[in-house]
PDB file of all heavy atoms in Angstrom:
ATOM      1  N   ILE A  17      -2.836 -28.521  -1.149  1.00 98.00           N
ATOM      2  CA  ILE A  17      -2.983 -27.405  -2.082  1.00 98.00           C
ATOM      3  C   ILE A  17      -4.179 -26.531  -1.674  1.00 98.00           C
ATOM      4  O   ILE A  17      -5.206 -27.048  -1.272  1.00 98.00           O
ATOM      5  CB  ILE A  17      -3.179 -27.943  -3.518  1.00 98.00           C
ATOM      6  CG1 ILE A  17      -1.857 -28.474  -4.048  1.00 98.00           C
ATOM      7  CG2 ILE A  17      -3.762 -26.869  -4.449  1.00 98.00           C
ATOM      8  CD1 ILE A  17      -1.982 -29.325  -5.299  1.00 98.00           C
ATOM      9  N   VAL A  18      -4.000 -25.230  -1.800  1.00 98.00           N
ATOM     10  CA  VAL A  18      -5.119 -24.307  -1.657  1.00 98.00           C
ATOM     11  C   VAL A  18      -5.529 -23.837  -3.049  1.00 98.00           C
ATOM     12  O   VAL A  18      -4.682 -23.436  -3.828  1.00 98.00           O
ATOM     13  CB  VAL A  18      -4.773 -23.110  -0.740  1.00 98.00           C
ATOM     14  CG1 VAL A  18      -5.848 -22.026  -0.807  1.00 98.00           C
ATOM     15  CG2 VAL A  18      -4.572 -23.579   0.698  1.00 98.00           C
ATOM     16  N   LEU A  19      -6.816 -23.934  -3.305  1.00 98.00           N
ATOM     17  CA  LEU A  19      -7.333 -23.511  -4.609  1.00 98.00           C
ATOM     18  C   LEU A  19      -7.883 -22.097  -4.533  1.00 98.00           C
ATOM     19  O   LEU A  19      -8.747 -21.798  -3.693  1.00 98.00           O
ATOM     20  CB  LEU A  19      -8.424 -24.484  -5.068  1.00 98.00           C
ATOM     21  CG  LEU A  19      -8.917 -24.365  -6.507  1.00 98.00           C
ATOM     22  CD1 LEU A  19      -7.800 -24.620  -7.500  1.00 98.00           C
ATOM     23  CD2 LEU A  19     -10.075 -25.322  -6.756  1.00 98.00           C
ATOM     24  N   GLY A  20      -7.362 -21.240  -5.372  1.00 98.00           N
ATOM     25  CA  GLY A  20      -7.815 -19.845  -5.392  1.00 98.00           C
ATOM     26  C   GLY A  20      -8.514 -19.527  -6.705  1.00 98.00           C
ATOM     27  O   GLY A  20      -8.530 -20.352  -7.621  1.00 98.00           O
ATOM     28  N   ALA A  21      -9.106 -18.348  -6.794  1.00 98.00           N
ATOM     29  CA  ALA A  21      -9.709 -17.905  -8.055  1.00 98.00           C
ATOM     30  C   ALA A  21      -9.802 -16.378  -8.033  1.00 98.00           C
ATOM     31  O   ALA A  21     -10.213 -15.798  -7.046  1.00 98.00           O
ATOM     32  CB  ALA A  21     -11.100 -18.495  -8.216  1.00 98.00           C
ATOM     33  N   GLU A  22      -9.349 -15.811  -9.107  1.00 98.00           N
ATOM     34  CA  GLU A  22      -9.450 -14.359  -9.223  1.00 98.00           C
ATOM     35  C   GLU A  22      -9.957 -14.012 -10.634  1.00 98.00           C
ATOM     36  O   GLU A  22     -10.554 -14.823 -11.286  1.00 98.00           O
ATOM     37  CB  GLU A  22      -8.111 -13.712  -8.891  1.00 98.00           C
ATOM     38  CG  GLU A  22      -7.681 -14.027  -7.479  1.00 98.00           C
ATOM     39  CD  GLU A  22      -6.500 -13.212  -7.026  1.00 98.00           C
ATOM     40  OE1 GLU A  22      -6.369 -12.048  -7.481  1.00 98.00           O
ATOM     41  OE2 GLU A  22      -5.674 -13.743  -6.250  1.00 98.00           O
ATOM     42  N   GLY A  23      -9.685 -12.761 -11.031  1.00 97.00           N
ATOM     43  CA  GLY A  23     -10.224 -12.319 -12.315  1.00 97.00           C
ATOM     44  C   GLY A  23     -11.558 -11.639 -12.142  1.00 97.00           C
ATOM     45  O   GLY A  23     -12.361 -11.564 -13.074  1.00 97.00           O
ATOM     46  N   TYR A  24     -11.824 -11.142 -10.941  1.00 98.00           N
ATOM     47  CA  TYR A  24     -13.108 -10.477 -10.654  1.00 98.00           C
ATOM     48  C   TYR A  24     -13.346  -9.272 -11.562  1.00 98.00           C
ATOM     49  O   TYR A  24     -14.440  -9.079 -12.068  1.00 98.00           O
ATOM     50  CB  TYR A  24     -13.141 -10.018  -9.189  1.00 98.00           C
ATOM     51  CG  TYR A  24     -13.379 -11.125  -8.213  1.00 98.00           C
ATOM     52  CD1 TYR A  24     -12.309 -11.812  -7.639  1.00 98.00           C
ATOM     53  CD2 TYR A  24     -14.669 -11.497  -7.850  1.00 98.00           C
ATOM     54  CE1 TYR A  24     -12.514 -12.831  -6.721  1.00 98.00           C
ATOM     55  CE2 TYR A  24     -14.889 -12.520  -6.935  1.00 98.00           C
ATOM     56  CZ  TYR A  24     -13.799 -13.188  -6.385  1.00 98.00           C
ATOM     57  OH  TYR A  24     -14.016 -14.218  -5.494  1.00 98.00           O
ATOM     58  N   VAL A  25     -12.306  -8.464 -11.739  1.00 97.00           N
ATOM     59  CA  VAL A  25     -12.473  -7.236 -12.527  1.00 97.00           C
ATOM     60  C   VAL A  25     -12.839  -7.581 -13.977  1.00 97.00           C
ATOM     61  O   VAL A  25     -13.778  -7.031 -14.542  1.00 97.00           O
ATOM     62  CB  VAL A  25     -11.195  -6.369 -12.458  1.00 97.00           C
ATOM     63  CG1 VAL A  25     -11.252  -5.231 -13.476  1.00 97.00           C
ATOM     64  CG2 VAL A  25     -11.008  -5.815 -11.053  1.00 97.00           C
ATOM     65  N   PHE A  26     -12.098  -8.520 -14.561  1.00 97.00           N
ATOM     66  CA  PHE A  26     -12.360  -8.942 -15.939  1.00 97.00           C
ATOM     67  C   PHE A  26     -13.763  -9.505 -16.084  1.00 97.00           C
ATOM     68  O   PHE A  26     -14.499  -9.171 -17.006  1.00 97.00           O
ATOM     69  CB  PHE A  26     -11.343 -10.024 -16.338  1.00 97.00           C
ATOM     70  CG  PHE A  26     -10.383  -9.593 -17.405  1.00 97.00           C
ATOM     71  CD1 PHE A  26      -9.629  -8.427 -17.277  1.00 97.00           C
ATOM     72  CD2 PHE A  26     -10.206 -10.358 -18.549  1.00 97.00           C
ATOM     73  CE1 PHE A  26      -8.739  -8.042 -18.248  1.00 97.00           C
ATOM     74  CE2 PHE A  26      -9.309  -9.972 -19.542  1.00 97.00           C
ATOM     75  CZ  PHE A  26      -8.577  -8.822 -19.388  1.00 97.00           C
ATOM     76  N   GLU A  27     -14.150 -10.372 -15.157  1.00 98.00           N
ATOM     77  CA  GLU A  27     -15.449 -11.040 -15.273  1.00 98.00           C
ATOM     78  C   GLU A  27     -16.596 -10.052 -15.042  1.00 98.00           C
ATOM     79  O   GLU A  27     -17.622 -10.106 -15.749  1.00 98.00           O
ATOM     80  CB  GLU A  27     -15.522 -12.223 -14.289  1.00 98.00           C
ATOM     81  CG  GLU A  27     -16.820 -13.006 -14.302  1.00 98.00           C
ATOM     82  CD  GLU A  27     -17.147 -13.652 -15.665  1.00 98.00           C
ATOM     83  OE1 GLU A  27     -16.251 -13.771 -16.520  1.00 98.00           O
ATOM     84  OE2 GLU A  27     -18.327 -14.017 -15.851  1.00 98.00           O
ATOM     85  N   LEU A  28     -16.434  -9.151 -14.089  1.00 98.00           N
ATOM     86  CA  LEU A  28     -17.515  -8.202 -13.833  1.00 98.00           C
ATOM     87  C   LEU A  28     -17.583  -7.135 -14.918  1.00 98.00           C
ATOM     88  O   LEU A  28     -18.644  -6.586 -15.170  1.00 98.00           O
ATOM     89  CB  LEU A  28     -17.350  -7.577 -12.430  1.00 98.00           C
ATOM     90  CG  LEU A  28     -17.676  -8.590 -11.305  1.00 98.00           C
ATOM     91  CD1 LEU A  28     -17.183  -8.091  -9.955  1.00 98.00           C
ATOM     92  CD2 LEU A  28     -19.171  -8.884 -11.215  1.00 98.00           C
ATOM     93  N   GLU A  29     -16.486  -6.894 -15.612  1.00 98.00           N
ATOM     94  CA  GLU A  29     -16.531  -6.008 -16.779  1.00 98.00           C
ATOM     95  C   GLU A  29     -17.359  -6.689 -17.854  1.00 98.00           C
ATOM     96  O   GLU A  29     -18.239  -6.101 -18.486  1.00 98.00           O
ATOM     97  CB  GLU A  29     -15.113  -5.727 -17.292  1.00 98.00           C
ATOM     98  CG  GLU A  29     -15.038  -4.669 -18.406  1.00 98.00           C
ATOM     99  CD  GLU A  29     -15.382  -5.172 -19.810  1.00 98.00           C
ATOM    100  OE1 GLU A  29     -15.174  -6.372 -20.093  1.00 98.00           O
ATOM    101  OE2 GLU A  29     -15.866  -4.368 -20.617  1.00 98.00           O
ATOM    102  N   ARG A  30     -17.092  -7.981 -18.049  1.00 97.00           N
ATOM    103  CA  ARG A  30     -17.793  -8.760 -19.048  1.00 97.00           C
ATOM    104  C   ARG A  30     -19.310  -8.759 -18.790  1.00 97.00           C
ATOM    105  O   ARG A  30     -20.122  -8.762 -19.673  1.00 97.00           O
ATOM    106  CB  ARG A  30     -17.247 -10.203 -19.034  1.00 97.00           C
ATOM    107  CG  ARG A  30     -17.355 -10.975 -20.311  1.00 97.00           C
ATOM    108  CD  ARG A  30     -16.683 -12.347 -20.185  1.00 97.00           C
ATOM    109  NE  ARG A  30     -17.322 -13.194 -19.191  1.00 97.00           N
ATOM    110  CZ  ARG A  30     -18.387 -13.954 -19.423  1.00 97.00           C
ATOM    111  NH1 ARG A  30     -18.924 -13.997 -20.604  1.00 97.00           N
ATOM    112  NH2 ARG A  30     -18.906 -14.691 -18.440  1.00 97.00           N
ATOM    113  N   ARG A  31     -19.649  -8.791 -17.487  1.00 98.00           N
ATOM    114  CA  ARG A  31     -21.056  -8.845 -17.084  1.00 98.00           C
ATOM    115  C   ARG A  31     -21.717  -7.459 -17.077  1.00 98.00           C
ATOM    116  O   ARG A  31     -22.899  -7.338 -16.760  1.00 98.00           O
ATOM    117  CB  ARG A  31     -21.200  -9.473 -15.694  1.00 98.00           C
ATOM    118  CG  ARG A  31     -20.754 -10.924 -15.664  1.00 98.00           C
ATOM    119  CD  ARG A  31     -20.974 -11.561 -14.289  1.00 98.00           C
ATOM    120  NE  ARG A  31     -20.440 -12.915 -14.294  1.00 98.00           N
ATOM    121  CZ  ARG A  31     -20.669 -13.801 -13.315  1.00 98.00           C
ATOM    122  NH1 ARG A  31     -21.414 -13.471 -12.290  1.00 98.00           N
ATOM    123  NH2 ARG A  31     -20.133 -15.006 -13.395  1.00 98.00           N
ATOM    124  N   GLY A  32     -20.936  -6.425 -17.390  1.00 98.00           N
ATOM    125  CA  GLY A  32     -21.526  -5.089 -17.512  1.00 98.00           C
ATOM    126  C   GLY A  32     -21.531  -4.241 -16.248  1.00 98.00           C
ATOM    127  O   GLY A  32     -22.315  -3.301 -16.138  1.00 98.00           O
ATOM    128  N   TYR A  33     -20.634  -4.562 -15.297  1.00 97.00           N
ATOM    129  CA  TYR A  33     -20.624  -3.833 -14.033  1.00 97.00           C
ATOM    130  C   TYR A  33     -19.355  -3.021 -13.781  1.00 97.00           C
ATOM    131  O   TYR A  33     -19.267  -2.339 -12.771  1.00 97.00           O
ATOM    132  CB  TYR A  33     -20.804  -4.799 -12.864  1.00 97.00           C
ATOM    133  CG  TYR A  33     -22.139  -5.517 -12.824  1.00 97.00           C
ATOM    134  CD1 TYR A  33     -22.229  -6.873 -13.105  1.00 97.00           C
ATOM    135  CD2 TYR A  33     -23.310  -4.813 -12.482  1.00 97.00           C
ATOM    136  CE1 TYR A  33     -23.453  -7.546 -13.036  1.00 97.00           C
ATOM    137  CE2 TYR A  33     -24.510  -5.469 -12.427  1.00 97.00           C
ATOM    138  CZ  TYR A  33     -24.593  -6.835 -12.710  1.00 97.00           C
ATOM    139  OH  TYR A  33     -25.789  -7.462 -12.645  1.00 97.00           O
ATOM    140  N   ILE A  34     -18.374  -3.153 -14.658  1.00 95.00           N
ATOM    141  CA  ILE A  34     -17.128  -2.410 -14.482  1.00 95.00           C
ATOM    142  C   ILE A  34     -16.736  -1.859 -15.838  1.00 95.00           C
ATOM    143  O   ILE A  34     -16.919  -2.517 -16.860  1.00 95.00           O
ATOM    144  CB  ILE A  34     -15.991  -3.356 -13.938  1.00 95.00           C
ATOM    145  CG1 ILE A  34     -16.181  -3.577 -12.424  1.00 95.00           C
ATOM    146  CG2 ILE A  34     -14.604  -2.782 -14.202  1.00 95.00           C
ATOM    147  CD1 ILE A  34     -15.128  -4.467 -11.800  1.00 95.00           C
ATOM    148  N   LYS A  35     -16.211  -0.636 -15.831  1.00 94.00           N
ATOM    149  CA  LYS A  35     -15.832  -0.015 -17.092  1.00 94.00           C
ATOM    150  C   LYS A  35     -14.410  -0.398 -17.476  1.00 94.00           C
ATOM    151  O   LYS A  35     -13.470  -0.191 -16.688  1.00 94.00           O
ATOM    152  CB  LYS A  35     -15.937   1.514 -16.982  1.00 94.00           C
ATOM    153  CG  LYS A  35     -15.702   2.246 -18.315  1.00 94.00           C
ATOM    154  CD  LYS A  35     -15.803   3.747 -18.175  1.00 94.00           C
ATOM    155  CE  LYS A  35     -17.242   4.221 -18.190  1.00 94.00           C
ATOM    156  NZ  LYS A  35     -17.927   4.003 -19.505  1.00 94.00           N
ATOM    157  N   ALA A  36     -14.253  -0.986 -18.680  1.00 95.00           N
ATOM    158  CA  ALA A  36     -12.911  -1.301 -19.188  1.00 95.00           C
ATOM    159  C   ALA A  36     -12.195   0.006 -19.429  1.00 95.00           C
ATOM    160  O   ALA A  36     -12.807   0.994 -19.843  1.00 95.00           O
ATOM    161  CB  ALA A  36     -13.030  -2.115 -20.480  1.00 95.00           C
ATOM    162  N   GLY A  37     -10.946   0.009 -19.215  1.00 93.00           N
ATOM    163  CA  GLY A  37     -10.157   1.238 -19.323  1.00 93.00           C
ATOM    164  C   GLY A  37      -9.651   1.572 -17.916  1.00 93.00           C
ATOM    165  O   GLY A  37      -8.581   1.138 -17.547  1.00 93.00           O
ATOM    166  N   PRO A  38     -10.491   2.284 -17.121  1.00 91.00           N
ATOM    167  CA  PRO A  38     -10.054   2.552 -15.752  1.00 91.00           C
ATOM    168  C   PRO A  38     -10.036   1.275 -14.907  1.00 91.00           C
ATOM    169  O   PRO A  38      -9.194   1.120 -14.005  1.00 91.00           O
ATOM    170  CB  PRO A  38     -11.067   3.554 -15.232  1.00 91.00           C
ATOM    171  CG  PRO A  38     -12.217   3.548 -16.168  1.00 91.00           C
ATOM    172  CD  PRO A  38     -11.703   3.063 -17.478  1.00 91.00           C
ATOM    173  N   TYR A  39     -10.974   0.357 -15.149  1.00 92.00           N
ATOM    174  CA  TYR A  39     -11.053  -0.909 -14.394  1.00 92.00           C
ATOM    175  C   TYR A  39     -11.108  -0.703 -12.896  1.00 92.00           C
ATOM    176  O   TYR A  39     -10.452  -1.414 -12.137  1.00 92.00           O
ATOM    177  CB  TYR A  39      -9.871  -1.831 -14.755  1.00 92.00           C
ATOM    178  CG  TYR A  39      -9.991  -2.484 -16.122  1.00 92.00           C
ATOM    179  CD1 TYR A  39      -9.088  -2.149 -17.139  1.00 92.00           C
ATOM    180  CD2 TYR A  39     -10.996  -3.397 -16.394  1.00 92.00           C
ATOM    181  CE1 TYR A  39      -9.206  -2.746 -18.409  1.00 92.00           C
ATOM    182  CE2 TYR A  39     -11.103  -3.981 -17.658  1.00 92.00           C
ATOM    183  CZ  TYR A  39     -10.211  -3.650 -18.650  1.00 92.00           C
ATOM    184  OH  TYR A  39     -10.313  -4.236 -19.884  1.00 92.00           O
ATOM    185  N   VAL A  40     -11.863   0.293 -12.467  1.00 91.00           N
ATOM    186  CA  VAL A  40     -12.012   0.535 -11.033  1.00 91.00           C
ATOM    187  C   VAL A  40     -13.252  -0.222 -10.541  1.00 91.00           C
ATOM    188  O   VAL A  40     -14.295  -0.193 -11.192  1.00 91.00           O
ATOM    189  CB  VAL A  40     -12.187   2.058 -10.765  1.00 91.00           C
ATOM    190  CG1 VAL A  40     -12.496   2.320  -9.306  1.00 91.00           C
ATOM    191  CG2 VAL A  40     -10.936   2.807 -11.186  1.00 91.00           C
TER     192      VAL A  40
END
Side-chain angles (χ1 to χ4, degrees):
I17 286 166
V18 169
L19 190 62
E22 299 190 33
Y24 284 92
V25 169
F26 246 54
E27 180 60 17
L28 288 166
E29 187 280 332
R30 206 176 63 84
R31 295 184 184 191
Y33 295 110
I34 282 180
K35 186 180 279 294
Y39 286 114
V40 174

